[in-house]
Amino acid sequence: MPANSAAAGPGSRPHVLLTDPIVPDAHARLAAEVDVETLPPGLAGEASDRALYERISQYDGLIVRRQLPGDLFERAHRLRAVVRHGVGTDFIPVDRATAHGIPVANTPDTNANAVAEYVMSGLLAMTRRLADFDAAVRHGDWDRRMAAGEQSRELRGATLGIIGFGAIGRRVAEIAGAGFGMKLVSHTATPAKLPPHVSPADLPTLFAHSDFIVVACPLTATTRGMIDKALLAHARPTTVLVNVARGPIVRQDDLVDALKAGRLGGAVLDVHAQHPLPADSPLRALPNVLLTPHLAGLTQDASMAMGLAAVDTMLALLRGEHPRNIVNPEFNAVNKETT
C-alpha cells in the first residue's frame, strides 16, 4: 500500500471519519468501539475536498455519504476500510481504493423499499395530477375537479418497464405487480434471473411498450448517457419516466427536448445531471415534471437500516473480517502482493 502512512499504535482505538452525520443509534454503536469524527457541516465542492485531503491521514476508516475526490487515496493515509452509507459506489474511486489495497463496501438492500415506495408515490402523483389539483383548490378553483375524469388515469393493467433488476427493481416489481396489477417488463444484465411474471426486454422494446419506465440501474461506463434521443424516440407520448438511479444515466438535454415536444408524457426525477439542480435548469419550467432533491431512499426506516449496516460493516472490516458486501474483493490480492 504505497500511499499508506504508519497505522495507529498498538492498543489504540481506531479512528473513523464520517463525511456526514448518521443516525444517533448508529453513531453510538460506532463510538462505543472506535473514535468518531465528522466533517464540519456546510462544506461542499472544493471546501469539502480540502477538508478530506487535510484529514485523511488521521483515520483508519471512512464512512461515505458524499462524492469523494478521485485522487483522495493517492494522499498519505492509513485507511483500512471505506464504507458507502448507501448502495451506489460511484461516490468512491473504487479502482484507486483497490490499487491501494483498501476494501470498499456498501449497504445493499437497506433502502430498496423506501426507493420503491417513492417510485409508486411518483407514479400516483403523476397519474392522479395531485399537484395540479392541489394548486386548483388552493386558488379557489373547485370546478377543476370536472377535468379529473379526462386528465387522470389508473395504474392497474398498465405496463411498467424496469431498467435494472437489483434490490430496488425487484421491490418495485413486487409492489407494482401484486399491489397494483401492473404488467411488468425489465431490461437487466441477468434476464434469466427474472421472476416468471416479469418479461425480459431490450431497451427499445421496453420503451416502445411501457406506459411507465423506472430507471433503477447503477451508473457505470456502459449506462452513462444510455437513455438518449434515439432511445426516447421509441417511447409513447403518454409515457412517464421515473429516474431513481443516477442523473447522468439520462441525457438531460434529450429528455428536456422530448418533454417539450410532447414525445414523452412526463418525468419524475429524484436525481439530476448536477446536484443541486441549477437555478437555470430548463427542467424547472416544465409542468409535466416532478422534481425532488435525491431523497427517494431517505426515510426514518431506511436511514436507520443504512446507518446500522454501515457501522456493522465498518467494525467488521476493522477487525479484519471480509463481509459479503465488499464491492472490490480483489483488494486483498493487492495486499498480498505488497506484503
Side-chain angles (χ1 to χ4, degrees):
M1 289 183 282
N4 283 15
S5 62
S12 63
R13 282 161 56 99
H15 286 60
V16 173
L17 177 65
L18 311 177
T19 65
D20 300 270
I22 58 178
V23 294
D25 285 358
H27 191 284
R29 181 182 292 187
L30 184 62
E33 299 193 37
V34 304
D35 293 333
V36 184
E37 294 183 36
T38 307
L39 283 182
L43 296 180
E46 293 183 1
S48 173
D49 290 351
R50 283 197 302 271
L52 285 165
Y53 288 142
E54 293 167 359
R55 292 165 169 79
I56 197 63
S57 65
Q58 306 169 31
Y59 300 96
D60 304 283
L62 178 64
I63 294 181
V64 179
R65 296 191 66 187
R66 68 174 69 189
Q67 185 74 50
L68 300 182
D71 62 348
L72 181 64
F73 303 136
E74 312 306 320
R75 305 294 175 108
H77 65 80
R78 67 185 199 213
L79 286 172
R80 293 187 281 139
V82 176
V83 178
R84 171 73 169 100
H85 184 287
V87 180
T89 55
D90 51 293
F91 281 6
I92 301 169
V94 178
D95 58 336
R96 301 315 305 153
T98 302
H100 291 292
I102 307 169
V104 177
N106 63 354
T107 57
D109 302 347
T110 50
N111 67 352
N113 185 71
V115 177
E117 288 190 6
Y118 170 96
V119 168
M120 303 313 299
S121 299
L123 294 183
L124 290 169
M126 294 294 282
T127 56
R128 301 307 297 268
R129 307 292 293 273
L130 297 184
D132 293 344
F133 289 115
D134 173 85
V137 172
R138 293 176 187 274
H139 288 88
D141 186 7
W142 188 263
D143 289 340
R144 178 68 184 281
R145 64 182 293 273
M146 301 304 294
E150 296 179 359
Q151 297 181 353
S152 302
R153 51 180 170 152
E154 298 180 19
L155 298 179
R156 185 174 61 177
T159 298
L160 175 64
I162 305 172
I163 302 175
F165 210 78
I168 292 170
R170 286 195 304 270
R171 185 60 182 143
V172 169
E174 290 172 358
I175 297 173
F180 289 89
M182 301 183 76
K183 301 172 185 175
L184 304 170
V185 297
S186 178
H187 175 76
T188 172
T190 54
K193 296 182 179 180
L194 290 173
H197 63 288
V198 182
S199 301
D202 58 35
L203 283 173
T205 300
L206 183 147
F207 268 76
H209 290 88
S210 296
D211 300 292
F212 306 95
I213 298 170
V214 177
V215 185
C217 58
L219 176 62
T220 66
T222 301
T223 63
R224 183 179 293 273
M226 177 176 69
I227 299 176
D228 58 8
K229 180 179 180 179
L231 193 55
L232 290 168
H234 292 277
R236 302 174 181 181
T238 55
T239 295
V240 173
L241 177 74
V242 181
N243 190 0
V244 290
R246 287 291 186 267
I249 294 173
V250 181
R251 292 190 180 275
Q252 181 175 289
D253 290 346
D254 292 350
L255 176 63
V256 169
D257 289 345
L259 290 165
K260 285 183 175 179
R263 296 191 300 272
L264 194 68
V268 179
L269 305 176
D270 186 52
V271 289
H272 313 281
Q274 181 180 341
H275 290 179
L277 186 68
D280 61 351
S281 171
L283 291 169
R284 293 176 180 265
L286 297 178
N288 52 346
V289 176
L290 178 63
L291 302 169
T292 55
H294 201 180
L295 51 70
L298 298 179
T299 64
Q300 294 179 18
D301 311 86
S303 294
M304 178 66 77
M306 282 188 288
L308 293 174
V311 165
D312 288 345
T313 299
M314 174 59 68
L315 294 176
L317 290 170
L318 291 176
R319 289 192 297 264
E321 300 171 9
H322 288 186
R324 291 193 299 174
N325 50 322
I326 292 177
V327 301
N328 63 336
E330 62 273 22
F331 86 93
N332 206 35
V334 175
N335 280 337
K336 290 178 181 178
E337 291 175 2
T338 58
T339 56

